[in-house]
């Protein structure tokens, strides 16, 4: 398995030994080992947001989202401008069915980083799941504005337009998707055939 961008970014803020250990644990998907490392580091440096984030990340990978939420909350208390912590907090809250809290977490990410395509896409996905395509569309549009190379953003935008019956806009979004991921565009057309 490769290293996720969020863990690569976290590792870049740490000493070489810790960074190497974290990257190795993620490649192995050793979430228990990662959790153990985070807890040892938290005993040494309890006011370091990176360790709270790492603990939350390891807990979330083990499906322990309630505990992960608490860790991510500690991370954002210490470092409120950290986009990754807000996004991860929202993901765990969403996994727990706490949709309104997740929406607030994503909005906080946007407060500190207004050009966060990930936060816009996460908001859009939640709104789409709630059957609120108007809000989903607005957020998917911002997502692809800031990350025009996101097949997920274009797919979501096409799906939201499909839901509202805006065929021309759906087709335009589908073309954006087709440029990036023709297979996903084909899959979309199978899932949402024109009538």
């Amino acid at each position: 398995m490769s290293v996720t961008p969020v863990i690569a970014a976290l590792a870049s803020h740490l000493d070489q030994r810790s960074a190497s250990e974290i990257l190795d644990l993620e490649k192995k998907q050793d979430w228990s080992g990662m959790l153990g490392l985070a807890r040892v580091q938290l005993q040494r440096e309890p006011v370091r947001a990176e360790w709270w984030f790492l603990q939350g990340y390891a807990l979330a990978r083990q499906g322990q989202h309630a505990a992960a939420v608490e860790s991510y909350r500690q991370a954002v208390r210490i470092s409120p401008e950290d986009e990754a912590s807000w996004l991860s907090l929202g993901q765990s809250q969403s996994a727990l069915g706490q949709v309104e809290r997740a929406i607030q977490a994503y909005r906080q990410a946007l407060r500190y980083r207004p050009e966060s395509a990930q936060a816009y896409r996460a908001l859009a996905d939640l709104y789409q799941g709630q059957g609120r395509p108007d809000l989903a569309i607005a957020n998917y549009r911002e997502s692809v504005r800031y990350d025009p190379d996101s097949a997920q953003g274009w797919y979501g935008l096409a799906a939201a337009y499909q839901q509202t019956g805006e065929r021309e806009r759906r087709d335009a979004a589908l073309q954006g998707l087709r440029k990036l991921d023709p297979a996903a565009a084909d899959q979309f057309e199978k899932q949402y055939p024109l009538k």
Side-chain angles (χ1 to χ4, degrees):
M1 175 178 173
S2 62
V3 175
T4 60
V6 70
I7 290 298
L10 173 71
S12 73
H13 292 96
L14 301 173
D15 63 89
Q16 189 172 1
R17 185 172 150 264
S18 296
S20 178
E21 190 172 357
I22 290 168
L23 295 173
D24 187 49
L25 289 166
E26 184 172 41
K27 285 177 186 175
K28 294 178 186 175
Q29 296 185 8
D30 182 356
W31 311 129
S32 296
M34 187 179 281
L35 182 58
L37 172 65
R39 288 181 171 160
V40 165
Q41 295 295 345
L42 278 170
Q43 288 178 347
R44 294 180 190 155
E45 298 179 281
V47 294
R48 188 133 184 220
E50 290 91 342
W51 301 128
W52 286 106
F53 175 84
L54 188 66
Q55 179 173 272
Y57 183 87
L59 288 164
R61 294 305 168 275
Q62 295 177 8
Q64 298 179 49
H65 292 286
V69 162
E70 294 309 313
S71 292
Y72 292 138
R73 282 186 179 150
Q74 279 297 110
V76 297
R77 278 188 200 111
I78 296 166
S79 185
E81 71 288 343
D82 183 51
E83 176 190 16
S85 293
W86 286 112
L87 292 172
S88 297
L89 174 60
Q91 290 167 354
S92 282
Q93 289 170 323
S94 182
L96 292 168
Q98 300 171 356
V99 176
E100 290 305 316
R101 288 181 179 177
I103 288 170
Q104 291 308 311
Y106 297 139
R107 288 185 193 276
Q108 282 297 104
L110 289 167
R111 179 177 171 214
Y112 292 104
R113 188 163 173 253
E115 71 284 357
S116 174
Q118 283 183 285
Y120 282 116
R121 191 171 53 250
L123 276 170
D125 289 345
L126 285 177
Y127 289 133
Q128 185 76 347
Q130 289 182 317
R132 299 165 73 185
D134 54 327
L135 294 173
I137 288 168
N139 285 282
Y140 281 129
R141 289 177 66 184
E142 288 299 301
S143 173
V144 298
R145 174 180 165 209
Y146 291 113
D147 184 6
D149 296 328
S150 169
Q152 291 174 316
W154 287 107
Y155 191 102
L157 183 58
Y161 281 132
Q162 172 78 21
Q163 192 174 358
T164 62
E166 296 178 69
R167 183 174 174 181
E168 285 183 28
R169 289 183 174 175
R170 168 216 182 251
D171 290 346
L174 188 57
Q175 288 304 334
L177 175 61
R178 187 165 301 287
K179 289 176 189 173
L180 298 167
D181 189 343
D186 291 344
Q187 181 61 38
F188 181 94
E189 289 180 317
K190 287 179 186 171
Q191 185 176 355
Y192 302 106
L194 287 178
K195 296 177 182 174

